[in-house]
Amino acid sequence: MAVFVALGAFLMTLAGGWTALRVTDRRHLVLGLAGGLMLGVVGLDVLPEALAAADTELYGVPAALLLFVAGFLLAHLVQRLLAVRRADRTPEVGLTAAAALIGHSAMDGVAIGAAFQVGGGMGVAVALAVIAHDFADGFNTYTLTRLYGNARRRALTMLFAAAVAPVAGAASTLLFAIPEPLLGAYLGFFGGALLYLAAAEILPEAHHEHPARSTLLCTVAGAAFIWLVVGIAE
């Protein structure tokens, strides 16, 4: 049942990537929306889940928050090491970001499988939340890969991998279960890296050539959409 439901996430991820592909003539709006979606996913979905799952503290600070900061700093370090001193973007940064999103999508599938092990009602609730925000995952996977200069074919490959990932994650729960503290640690680290990309790369790029009100509205709409999804899931 979990694997069957995860097929919905597969289709929604592809729908998000297709949307990003079709609106290339409005690139600034695409990037503004992507930044808002990423901000919403991190602040309203990923980080709360990380804090709930990894409840240990180190020197008075939740471990999930420490890993959140570590993920942010590592993303900054990687971007600095890979970036060249010219206007062009480094393709490897886009691939790394897309790979992180693929990993997150796989963990979404694991969450669906684990929820169905608890009960059918819990499984359906988690699946609806995952399917809804996997649209953002597909949208962001394609956008990030293309933003950093990767070819369209490579971006489509990463998009397909992101679509397959939740199905594979759900199937993996038939074999083993990931300890909750480890899952929380991963989510915290992933959230920090994703927030860096949204705040330091995606949003500045969106407003660089088109500092329009419509771009800002797309960003707000993206964050509000994730808020709505989280609220419905709760």
Side-chain angles (χ1 to χ4, degrees), residues 91 95 142 145-146 148-158:
L95 292 176
Y142 184 87
T145 308
R146 289 289 283 157
Y148 288 91
N150 289 283
R152 176 178 172 179
R153 182 176 180 180
R154 182 172 290 181
L156 290 173
T157 299
M158 299 302 285

Side-chain angles (χ1 to χ4, degrees), residues 50-51 54-58 60-70 181 184-185 188-189:
L51 289 170
D55 56 358
T56 58
E57 293 187 357
L58 295 175
V61 179
L65 288 182
L66 289 174
L67 287 165
F68 176 83
V69 173
F189 186 82

Side-chain angles (χ1 to χ4, degrees), residues 42-135:
V42 172
L44 306 177
D45 186 17
V46 172
L47 194 54
E49 288 185 16
L51 289 170
D55 56 358
T56 58
E57 293 187 357
L58 295 175
Y59 291 97
V61 179
L65 288 182
L66 289 174
L67 287 165
F68 176 83
V69 173
F72 188 98
L73 292 176
L74 181 62
H76 177 61
L77 176 62
V78 170
Q79 198 276 340
R80 291 294 91 198
L81 291 176
L82 294 180
V84 293
R85 297 184 178 277
R86 54 189 175 89
D88 294 341
R89 299 286 182 175
T90 306
E92 289 81 2
V93 175
L95 292 176
T96 301
L101 284 168
I102 292 170
H104 174 59
S105 293
M107 297 308 297
D108 281 345
V110 171
I112 292 175
F116 270 102
Q117 291 179 4
V118 174
M122 176 68 73
V124 171
V126 171
L128 287 176
V130 168
I131 289 172
H133 90 250
D134 271 355
F135 178 88

Side-chain angles (χ1 to χ4, degrees), residues 27-56:
R27 184 169 176 270
H28 59 291
L29 298 180
V30 171
L31 294 175
L33 179 61
L37 290 170
M38 292 166 73
L39 175 62
V41 167
V42 172
L44 306 177
D45 186 17
V46 172
L47 194 54
E49 288 185 16
L51 289 170
D55 56 358
T56 58

Side-chain angles (χ1 to χ4, degrees), residues 155-179:
L156 290 173
T157 299
M158 299 302 285
L159 172 63
F160 183 76
V164 172
V167 180
S172 72
T173 60
L174 301 175
L175 304 175
F176 63 90
I178 298 178

